């Protein structure tokens, strides 16, 4: 476990003198790339080079969130061989908020493990797509879900670019969306790191304010260019995420989607949303105009026909 | 029914009996003026009823099972494909095919094209039922259907496209109900509503256009949320909503052509001369509308590919599938419609409308299911999911027919005065 608050970071951060100028240049560039970048909440760095695939985080999450007994016990590593539909690796599901998957990139002589859970996006697609506003992003950065208002349309699952939310299809009465909540009610709210972070024996997970965690990630890459590829996944992807990843191999090879772009998902919908007020204001006038035009023609015709019709009716 | 009409039985089409004095009772009207025995006999003679019965016998228990055992028991409960056939067919295919109501409403009421009047009510009914059943499908698909009204009263997510869809479908459904009240009140013999609604019709029609433009487009915009999941050939952030809107125009019109053909073929006894005699002319008129919408659609489809420079994808397998859809769903109907109109071949136009409907269904399913998650895997729906979808559609057809048999949709209601005059 490694918890990083602002003061701690400053201590370690000051060690690297060049860092300040480096970051000074980087920030305005981000600000131009996407709006709504808060820089306020907390975040977690997942250092994939340190993860050993012990599944302690999975077990801790299960305990913390009172999830059902897993199908395969947490100390059974054969689970890494399981494949689901389409030859895909395991994913989050009903009762499983985080999973660790194993990859075998050819440039490494050892396997690489990747922990995966809700990334707590800065501009969450799940949140913006939900028509009853079931999601909230807390100031601490957690993306929370309110099962009391959820209708179960599952639009959030369509929208989440990381395929995170799962739905308890098996429940007939009150199926809900299930996903990692960054341990908000039990820990994050009180400034404590999430259970999975605390449980990690190799310090692969680092918790702190997102800004600091990001600086820390970049610093690690800078210090060990021989280990890491120069990319912090989640810094900019879909508008930035609270959970960040650094990796020794190309992210594409270990199941990360590298085509998501830097725009928050909501930006793709804006072109449509912009037409709504237009239609609402222009249409009535336009069609009322059409109506008057058409009926003037009609009126003329009526004048001609009226006489004849009256005769035939009497 | 045909046999009865041949024997001289006239289906109820006015408030009073032939002698002009006794009023038909509600039972009379419901039984189409037949005795119960006669009614049952004719119903049993109709093979369609047997087919519907068989579908219900298998499907309805499954439908009930869905509510007892949960969605997981009838679908593949996929996290990657949260929307399956229920929405794929029930929402994304049904709604464009129901765009007929607002279009014919606009043509007749706004543009004053009275020549389309005989089919206006059919188009309105088609719209109303289509939307109504889209909601039914939605209720079956929602995890917690009893919360359907939440976006209206409990909790609002106004930035969400689905919020707009929910509000619009709800409002538009009410508009359509109001627009059809005249048919019902004629049948029931109420006077007042007819007068009231006559005065509202212009407002209703304009409301219909606004709501339809927005929510037809919004259905497309729902997929704007999934840029990485829908295949790029079907995805286009700036154009997707416009594709959906534009294609809903010919989908709605083609649906009216197809439904009116079915009516003409299978329930001619219920149609009056005004409907039957004008139908061919109207069909050509509708087809002209289709041609305009289809050509616009074809152009914006190509523009979208150029805009996103997706040309490369056309060479892949998905590209071939895309071209197939474009060919069968857009180009072929476009050519056939034009040819049919030119040579005044009503039969060809009707057949083409059917192809166009197939094309539109294919497009919607491609967007919502088939090419969705193209990077992952293709989901094949659970057999029960297929069965329930068919069952719901069968209920749709049965309801449709029930109403067409009775309300003055295909025929003009004879007001009591007129009946007296004739007598
Ligand atoms: S990862 Fe998915 S579920 Fe989590 S916040 Fe982002 S969009 Fe929402
Ligand atoms: S499934 Fe629930 S949380 Fe997700 S978008 Fe629909 S209503 Fe919102
Ligand atoms: S943050 Fe909490 S809920 Fe999320 S994966 Fe970790 S332990 Fe589970």
């Amino acid at each position: 476990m490694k918890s990083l608050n602002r003061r701690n970071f400053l201590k370690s951060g000051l060690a690297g003198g060049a860092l300040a100028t480096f970051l000074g240049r980087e920030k305005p560039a981000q600000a131009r790339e996407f709006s709504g970048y808060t820089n306020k909440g907390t975040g977690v760095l997942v250092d994939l080079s340190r993860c050993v695939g012990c599944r302690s985080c999975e077990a801790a999450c299960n305990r913390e969130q009172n999830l059902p007994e897993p199908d395969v016990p947490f100390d059974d590593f054969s689970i890494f061989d399981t494949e689901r539909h389409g030859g895909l690796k395991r994913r989050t599901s009903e009762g499983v908020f985080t999973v660790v998957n194993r990859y075998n990139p050819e440039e490494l002589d050892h396997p690489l493990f990747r922990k995966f859970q809700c990334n707590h996006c800065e501009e969450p697609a799940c949140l913006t797509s939900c028509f009853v506003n079931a999601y909230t992003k807390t100031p601490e950065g957690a993306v929370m879900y309110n099962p009391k208002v959820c209708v179960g349309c599952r639009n959030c699952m369509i929208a989440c670019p990381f395929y995170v939310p799962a739905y308890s299809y098996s429940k007939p009465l009150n199926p809900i969306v299930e996903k990692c909540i960054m341990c908000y009610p039990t820990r994050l709210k009180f400034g404590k790191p999430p259970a999975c972070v605390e449980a990690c024996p190799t310090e692969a997970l680092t918790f702190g304010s997102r800004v600091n965690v990001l600086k820390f990630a970049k610093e690690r890459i800078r210090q060990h260019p021989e280990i890491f590829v120069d990319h912090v996944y989640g810094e900019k992807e879909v508008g930035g995420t609270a959970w960040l990843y650094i990796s020794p191999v190309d992210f594409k090879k270990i199941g990360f989607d590298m085509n998501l772009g830097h725009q928050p998902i909501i930006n793709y919908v804006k072109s449509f949303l912009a037409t709504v007020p237009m239609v609402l204001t222009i249409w009535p006038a336009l069609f009322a105009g059409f109506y008057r035009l058409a009926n003037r023609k009609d009126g003329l015709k009526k004048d001609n026909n009226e006489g004849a019709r009256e005769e035939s009716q009497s | 029914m045909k046999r009865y009409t041949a024997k001289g039985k006239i289906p109820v089409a006015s408030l009073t009996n032939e002698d002009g004095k006794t009023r038909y009772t509600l039972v009379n009207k419901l039984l189409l003026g037949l005795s119960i025995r006669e009614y049952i006999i004719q119903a049993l003679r109709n093979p369609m009823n047997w087919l519907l019965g068989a579908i219900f016998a298998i499907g309805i228990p499954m439908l009930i099972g869905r509510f007892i055992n949960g969605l997981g028991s009838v679908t593949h409960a996929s996290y990657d494909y949260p929307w399956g056939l229920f929405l794929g067919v029930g929402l994304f295919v049904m709604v464009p095919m129901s765009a007929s109501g607002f279009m014919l409403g606009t043509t007749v009421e706004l543009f004053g094209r009275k020549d389309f009047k005989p089919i206006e009510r059919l188009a309105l009914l088609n719209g109303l039922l289509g939307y109504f059943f889209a909601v039914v499908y939605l209720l079956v698909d929602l995890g917690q259907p009893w919360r359907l009204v939440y976006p209206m009263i409990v909790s609002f997510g106004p930035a969400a496209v689905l919020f707009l869809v929910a509000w619009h479908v709800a409002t538009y459904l009410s508009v359509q109900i109001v627009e059809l009240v005249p048919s019902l009140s004629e049948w029931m013999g109420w006077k007042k509503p007819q007068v009231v609604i006559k005065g509202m019709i212009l407002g209703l029609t304009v409301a219909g256009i606004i709501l339809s433009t927005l929510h037809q487009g919004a259905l497309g915009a729902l997929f704007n949320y999934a840029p990485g999941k829908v295949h790029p050939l079907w995805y286009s952030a700036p154009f997707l909503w416009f594709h959906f809107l534009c294609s809903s125009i010919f989908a709605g019109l083609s649906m009216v052509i197809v439904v009116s053909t079915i009516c003409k073929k299978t329930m001619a006894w219920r149609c009056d001369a005004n409907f039957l005699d004008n139908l061919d002319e109207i069909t050509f008129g509708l087809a002209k509308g289709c041609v305009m919408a289809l050509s616009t659609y074809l152009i914006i489809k190509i523009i979208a590919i150029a805009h996103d420079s997706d040309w490369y994808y056309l060479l892949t397998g998905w590209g071939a599938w895309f071209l197939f859809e474009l060919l069968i769903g857009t180009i072929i109907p476009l050519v056939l419609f034009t040819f049919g109109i030119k040579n005044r071949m009503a039969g060809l136009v009707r057949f083409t409308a059917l192809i166009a409907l197939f094309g539109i269904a294919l497009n919607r399913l491609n967007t919502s299911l088939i090419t969705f998650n193209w990077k992952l895997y293709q989901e094949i729906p659970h057999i029960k999911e297929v069965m329930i979808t068919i069952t719901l559609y069968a209920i749709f057809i049965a309801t449709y027919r029930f109403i067409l048999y009775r309300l003055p949709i295909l025929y003009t209601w004879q007001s009591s005065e007129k009946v007296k005059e004739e007598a």
Side-chain angles (χ1 to χ4, degrees), chain B residues 207-229:
Chain B
I209 307 172
I210 298 173
L211 294 170
S212 301
T213 324
L214 287 176
H215 68 238
Q216 292 285 357
L219 286 182
L222 279 179
F223 289 99
N224 274 13
Y225 284 109
K229 300 184 183 177

Side-chain angles (χ1 to χ4, degrees), chain A residues 67-143:
Chain A
L67 299 175
E69 270 297 287
D71 297 337
V72 182
F74 289 111
D75 50 12
D76 181 348
F77 298 114
S78 69
I79 196 153
F80 291 130
D81 299 321
T82 48
E83 273 186 3
R84 61 191 179 92
H85 203 151
L88 297 171
K89 307 232 181 244
R90 290 191 306 147
R91 59 156 288 163
T92 53
S93 64
E94 201 178 331
V96 181
F97 294 177
T98 184
V99 293
V100 179
N101 280 327
R102 187 184 61 202
Y103 294 84
N104 294 302
E106 67 266 5
E107 55 262 66
L108 296 181
D109 48 9
H110 56 86
L112 209 57
F113 296 91
R114 171 194 173 199
K115 178 191 188 294
F116 170 73
Q117 72 301 305
C118 169
N119 283 326
H120 300 274
C121 308
E122 296 294 288
E123 286 200 45
C126 53
L127 185 152
T128 45
S129 72
C130 176
F131 71 152
V132 291
N133 228 351
Y135 289 91
T136 31
K137 174 115 176 139
T138 71
E140 294 85 347
V143 176

Side-chain angles (χ1 to χ4, degrees), chain B residues 70-216:
Chain B
L71 271 173
S73 67
V74 295
T75 67
H76 279 155
S78 173
Y79 307 127
D80 300 327
Y81 283 87
W83 290 346
L85 267 190
F86 295 153
L87 290 192
V89 171
L91 192 64
F92 296 112
V93 176
M94 288 289 269
V95 170
M97 287 187 185
S98 312
S100 57
F102 94 91
M103 270 178 310
L104 269 273
T106 315
T107 321
V108 176
E109 304 298 338
L110 269 183
F111 295 147
R113 290 288 301 270
K114 302 288 180 230
D115 43 336
F116 285 102
K117 189 88 189 169
I119 207 152
E120 186 195 3
R121 281 190 173 171
L122 178 63
L124 287 176
L125 179 70
N126 182 57
L128 172 64
L129 286 181
Y131 276 84
F132 181 75
F133 275 85
V135 175
V136 172
Y137 273 105
L138 189 69
L139 285 174
V140 173
D141 185 70
L142 286 179
Q144 310 210 22
W146 42 92
R147 289 183 178 173
L148 184 68
V149 292
Y150 272 33
M152 271 94 207
I153 50 173
V154 176
S155 179
F156 309 114
V161 173
L162 197 62
F163 184 73
L164 193 133
V165 175
W167 269 92
H168 282 193
V169 168
T171 330
Y172 187 48
L173 204 52
S174 353
V175 168
Q176 287 186 311
I177 291 174
V178 177
E179 283 179 324
L180 275 165
V181 165
S183 321
L184 182 67
S185 41
E186 279 174 14
W187 190 69
M188 294 298 295
W190 303 326
K191 282 265 159 55
K192 197 123 178 249
Q194 298 183 40
V195 182
V196 176
I197 287 167
K198 265 238 164 79
M200 291 161 60
I201 204 79
L202 180 63
L204 288 176
T205 313
V206 174
I209 307 172
I210 298 173
L211 294 170
S212 301
T213 324
L214 287 176
H215 68 238
Q216 292 285 357

Side-chain angles (χ1 to χ4, degrees), chain A residues 47-68:
Chain A
D47 182 344
L48 297 175
S49 73
R50 295 195 178 187
C51 179
V52 291
C54 66
R55 302 184 69 212
S56 308
C57 52
E58 283 191 38
C61 179
N62 181 280
R63 236 176 294 120
E64 182 76 20
Q65 301 297 336
N66 293 319
L67 299 175

